[in-house]
Amino acid sequence: MDSGYAKQQLRRKVATLKKNYPAERLSALSAEIHARIEQSPRFRDASRIACYYALPGEVQTVAFLEKWYGLKQIFLPAVEGEWLKFYPYLGENSLKTGSFGIMEPQADKEASVDDIDLAIVPGEAFDRRLNRLGKGKGFYDRFLLEFRKPVIGICFQFQVFDTVPVDERDCRVTQVITEREIIG
């Protein structure tokens, strides 16, 4: 079985699993994940953090962003061509709907990878070897190729597998945090 087909099959499996959880339950699990992130030495030591504005079905980040953006410098991605560019998050009112219906910051000054201490990234699935399976467009993999600092992948426990299919373009994370465990 080729890697592309295996990835699509796993994405379908995760999508089916997500349908078993109402939004309220995913929101409660997200809060548990936030608490684990906040206990992480990597998070506590970082002052400039790249995060993301969650889509439905992902670990929700709005409450986390609102809690921390005044205490740490938070950056969110905007899709520009084939790349993710990160800009300061200045509160929910500073966002606009961007590519793929994702809320993006309206700030002017782009952050370089050197401006960021830690990245918190979503994924469709992760494995115990810290491999990440994304949505298939490669945006985060292109960013992670340049970003040489700690990366925390966050997901729900049902998105962690013994192995996920990867190929040479896929980037690993430093740590995976779920509502039940910290891997790495």
Side-chain angles (χ1 to χ4, degrees), residues 2-3 6-7 25 27 33 35 37 39 65 96 115 118 120 125 149 152-153 171 178:
D2 79 78
S3 169
K7 288 178 179 185
R25 180 68 182 137
S27 181
I33 293 167
I37 293 168
Q39 294 168 5
L65 296 171
K96 64 178 175 30
D115 294 331
L118 171 72
I120 299 172
K149 296 176 189 167
I152 297 175
C171 292
T178 76

Side-chain angles (χ1 to χ4, degrees), residues 42-70:
R42 287 184 173 103
F43 176 78
R44 286 195 312 262
D45 293 345
S47 59
R48 301 167 304 177
I49 300 166
C51 197
Y52 66 96
Y53 196 95
L55 293 170
E58 292 179 331
V59 174
Q60 294 302 293
T61 56
V62 173
F64 182 79
L65 296 171
E66 287 300 303
K67 178 178 180 178
W68 287 103
Y69 88 92

Side-chain angles (χ1 to χ4, degrees), residues 7-171:
K7 288 178 179 185
Q8 282 306 104
Q9 290 297 101
L10 185 53
R11 288 183 186 106
R12 282 190 198 100
K13 179 178 182 174
V14 169
T16 299
L17 290 170
K18 284 181 182 180
K19 290 178 185 173
N20 294 327
Y21 292 83
E24 300 79 32
R25 180 68 182 137
L26 293 180
S27 181
L29 294 174
S30 295
E32 293 176 34
I33 293 167
H34 299 165
R36 285 189 180 277
I37 293 168
E38 291 165 355
Q39 294 168 5
S40 161
R42 287 184 173 103
F43 176 78
R44 286 195 312 262
D45 293 345
S47 59
R48 301 167 304 177
I49 300 166
C51 197
Y52 66 96
Y53 196 95
L55 293 170
E58 292 179 331
V59 174
Q60 294 302 293
T61 56
V62 173
F64 182 79
L65 296 171
E66 287 300 303
K67 178 178 180 178
W68 287 103
Y69 88 92
L71 303 170
K72 294 182 181 268
Q73 191 168 14
I74 305 292
F75 301 95
L76 295 183
V79 174
E80 295 182 15
E82 294 293 312
W83 299 93
L84 290 181
K85 305 289 184 172
F86 285 83
Y87 297 91
Y89 175 68
L90 304 172
E92 207 161 356
N93 292 333
S94 70
L95 300 174
K96 64 178 175 30
T97 303
S99 300
F100 308 105
I102 300 170
M103 300 304 288
E104 297 179 347
Q106 296 185 63
D108 294 329
K109 186 173 180 337
E110 177 188 343
S112 76
V113 292
D114 295 331
D115 294 331
I116 301 169
D117 302 323
L118 171 72
I120 299 172
V121 301
E124 291 298 295
F126 292 90
D127 69 21
R128 298 192 171 281
R129 294 178 304 187
L130 304 173
N131 290 307
R132 176 187 172 276
L133 176 68
K135 293 188 180 295
K137 302 283 188 202
F139 290 109
Y140 276 99
D141 288 317
R142 285 187 286 280
F143 165 69
L144 294 176
L145 279 173
E146 294 181 12
F147 188 74
R148 298 290 178 202
K149 296 176 189 167
V151 178
I152 297 175
I154 59 175
C155 67
F156 303 111
Q157 189 67 43
F158 63 81
Q159 293 173 273
V160 175
F161 297 87
D162 288 334
T163 60
V164 297
V166 294
D167 56 42
E168 67 280 350
R169 297 169 299 205
D170 296 313
C171 292

